[in-house]
Amino acid sequence: MSELAHSADADPLRRFFQSGATRSYHWRRRQLQLLHQAIRAEETDIHEALYADLKKSPEESYATETGLVLAEIRHTLKHLAKWMRPQRTGTNLVNYPAASRVYRDPLGVVLIIAPWNYPFQLSLVPLAAALAAGNTVLLKPSEWAPATAAVIERLITRIFPADLVRVVSGDGATVVPGLIKNFRFDHIFFTGSVPVGQAIYRLAAEQLIPVTLELGGKSPVIVEKDANLRVAARRIIVGKFINAGQTCVAPDYLLVHADVRAELLARLRETITAFYGPNPRESRDYGKIINEKQFDRLVGFLADGNPLCGGDHDRSSLYIGPTLLTDVNPAAPVMGEEIFGPLLPVFSYQTTEEAMAFVRRHPDPLAFYLFTANGKVEQTWIEGLAFGGGCINNTDWHFANPHLPFGGIGKSGIGAYHGKYSFDLFTHPKAVMKTPTVIDPAIKYPPFKGKMKWFKRFIR
């Protein structure tokens, strides 16, 4: 910390990057292989830490944390050589016979600030991408998931030297501002809440540090009257209540067509019981709230509606049951911010126009979900709303597709990553044009008088 605070020139992360050691394909490939092997070797400890922090089962931990990281690394290893290759592009007539290429240059020293809800995955996916792109990294795991943060620090320290990847612990509200103010990073990657993202954006702006902000918002799920309600119920419930609703892309509220409201609600209740049993607090597949602060915030929202099911809670075990909230005033506090917990407010509508107007009251959601069998209705929604990404007839799982960019828009974030998009994010497209010296037309040089007709012919 002292090196970061007092001398950018002496900082080992900067020195190691400037040594050129991170440039080669084989070096980058080796780092990814080491990370992959270490995660496999530490899998049991990682899953135990995730259970301690969030009560995740080993299966959920693999499906949403370690498995996704491993898959992302394998995808990157498969394509890295191609991604690193300079890309030949076209050259315009005025520059003929030059050749043009785009090189993907590493950015330098990257700061990654991870959240607590998926503390392993959202630390290691961007870390792997930054290393694949040839950067050095300062990683700040969330102190709200201390068991996972400790495993991450032990794993990283064991496989990487401190001048390549350094893990910083402590209270983020204190540590992060000090880091940004005292060291000019080449990029900051943050996942978390909108207010914290805004604060980091302001700090970064003072030094013109580019940022990626993966934030959140009120992500709607729409169920049209022609939807397959059995499938919709299953996919909404798993998307909403995995990790006890503490998922940035989880459905934040439900809009269901009035004609199928009663049937869908019945199916949702049945599905909750089928997935988590008659008493979800005893289910090995249902998690807990991260801490008392978040628990108290969420319990406060219960007064904003009538629990159709759920609503039960226990502060001593940080348990809040999977809850469907009906009779919610659209202006209630539960609709004023991202819920980030196991409460799903339910609203109904008669027309697509009415539903779209409702969604537009909470603009720029991180995710959008629609259940319908009508292609024209699907197109109307996709073209009519701005959102980060989403699914038709599914929830959440677009996040796990490395071929799709993941990121927000407007208040839900800046920038996108996953797969090739991650590599592009952590590199700079450096344009290079190479011009031969054999041909050197005089038309390009002064005096220019009388050359206008040629300029107009070639510059177009």
Side-chain angles (χ1 to χ4, degrees):
M1 289 290 293
S2 59
E3 290 172 305
L4 284 169
H6 299 299
S7 177
D9 293 333
D11 177 63
L13 293 167
R14 177 73 68 200
R15 287 204 312 269
F16 189 76
F17 174 75
Q18 291 177 341
S19 75
T22 68
R23 292 273 176 171
S24 77
Y25 164 74
H26 294 291
W27 183 91
R28 299 184 200 185
R29 182 178 179 83
R30 181 56 182 159
Q31 310 318 305
L32 295 177
Q33 289 172 333
L34 287 171
L35 185 58
H36 190 279
Q37 292 165 6
I39 294 169
R40 292 292 301 273
E42 301 276 350
E43 193 172 289
T44 298
D45 287 348
I46 296 166
H47 292 173
E48 288 177 354
L50 290 166
Y51 184 87
D53 288 329
L54 289 154
K55 193 178 170 282
K56 294 186 182 187
S57 68
E59 295 83 0
E60 180 180 337
S61 291
Y62 187 84
T64 65
E65 301 256 16
T66 50
L68 289 186
V69 177
L70 293 170
E72 190 81 15
I73 293 173
R74 286 193 292 266
H75 180 81
T76 303
L77 286 168
K78 181 178 179 181
H79 298 283
L80 182 58
K82 180 181 178 182
W83 294 347
M84 289 180 63
R85 204 171 295 137
Q87 212 172 16
R88 186 160 187 166
T89 67
T91 303
N92 59 350
L93 185 59
V94 75
N95 283 302
Y96 181 83
S100 303
R101 286 180 173 82
V102 176
Y103 293 77
R104 302 301 313 196
D105 240 19
L107 298 177
V109 183
V110 173
L111 172 61
I112 296 173
I113 307 165
W116 52 264
N117 59 326
Y118 290 88
F120 189 81
Q121 181 226 133
L122 295 177
S123 295
L124 274 291
V125 167
L127 171 65
L131 292 174
N135 301 285
T136 58
V137 178
L138 185 67
L139 174 63
K140 172 62 180 72
S142 174
E143 70 276 11
W144 283 16
T148 308
V151 169
I152 289 173
E153 184 167 8
R154 187 177 73 243
L155 183 151
I156 295 300
T157 302
R158 181 169 65 82
I159 61 173
F160 296 132
D163 54 359
L164 173 59
V165 182
R166 184 182 301 183
V167 180
V168 174
S169 58
D171 177 20
T174 302
V175 171
V176 171
L179 290 172
I180 299 173
K181 288 177 180 178
N182 293 299
F183 183 83
R184 192 194 182 282
F185 294 94
D186 298 291
H187 195 90
I188 297 174
F189 186 100
F190 169 79
T191 306
S193 69
V194 173
V196 178
Q198 290 172 325
I200 288 172
Y201 199 8
R202 284 191 292 269
L203 288 168
E206 292 177 3
Q207 299 189 67
L208 295 179
I209 301 173
V211 299
T212 300
L213 302 177
E214 298 296 340
L215 308 177
K218 298 197 73 64
S219 300
V221 54
I222 316 298
V223 180
E224 294 276 4
K225 62 182 177 181
D226 63 344
N228 182 323
L229 299 184
R230 183 187 71 85
V231 171
R234 290 164 60 85
R235 294 177 183 175
I236 290 170
I237 293 303
V238 74
K240 175 61 183 180
F241 296 115
I242 196 167
N243 199 27
Q246 298 166 116
T247 303
C248 62
V249 292
D252 197 83
Y253 61 95
L254 167 64
L255 271 170
V256 54
H257 196 282
D259 290 359
V260 295
R261 174 189 170 99
E263 182 181 351
L264 178 66
L265 290 180
R267 288 185 178 273
L268 290 172
R269 295 179 68 180
E270 293 168 1
T271 303
I272 289 173
T273 302
F275 286 0
Y276 305 115
N279 187 3
R281 78 173 64 202
E282 298 176 356
S283 171
R284 69 187 296 276
D285 294 312
Y286 188 73
K288 70 181 182 71
I289 307 305
I290 186 68
N291 57 30
E292 289 85 356
K293 179 180 178 180
Q294 291 299 311
F295 177 91
D296 293 340
R297 182 183 67 86
L298 291 165
V299 168
F301 289 148
L302 290 172
D304 292 341
N306 296 316
L308 179 68
C309 65
D312 51 324
H313 53 278
D314 174 35
R315 197 172 192 270
S316 65
S317 60
L318 296 175
Y319 166 81
I320 300 176
T323 302
L324 302 177
L325 274 183
T326 60
D327 304 314
V328 177
N329 186 324
V334 73
M335 292 301 291
E337 61 181 84
E338 184 180 7
I339 296 171
F340 221 69
L343 283 66
L344 183 64
V346 178
F347 303 90
S348 57
Y349 67 95
Q350 290 286 352
T351 67
T352 297
E353 293 72 21
E354 178 189 355
M356 194 169 290
F358 189 100
V359 174
R360 285 175 177 154
R361 297 176 198 168
H362 309 283
D364 302 332
L366 178 60
F368 170 80
Y369 307 116
L370 173 68
F371 288 84
T372 183
N374 188 317
K376 289 184 178 179
V377 171
E378 171 187 326
Q379 208 60 31
T380 296
W381 278 103
I382 292 174
E383 294 177 359
L385 289 177
F387 55 89
C391 302
I392 307 298
N393 297 322
N394 208 340
T395 65
D396 293 21
W397 284 102
H398 65 296
F399 180 89
N401 184 350
H403 303 283
L404 288 174
F406 176 78
I409 184 173
K411 290 185 177 180
S412 60
I414 299 170
Y417 72 121
H418 286 179
K420 175 66 159 53
Y421 301 95
S422 294
F423 182 81
D424 289 347
L425 178 72
F426 287 111
T427 56
H428 166 67
K430 185 164 67 177
V432 177
M433 189 176 75
K434 182 178 181 180
T435 307
T437 58
V438 176
I439 302 173
D440 193 28
I443 192 174
K444 295 184 178 182
Y445 303 105
F448 293 130
K449 187 176 181 180
K451 297 179 180 179
M452 179 65 79
K453 66 177 181 179
W454 297 106
F455 286 178
K456 289 187 175 181
R457 180 173 297 180
F458 289 107
I459 302 174
R460 57 175 62 191

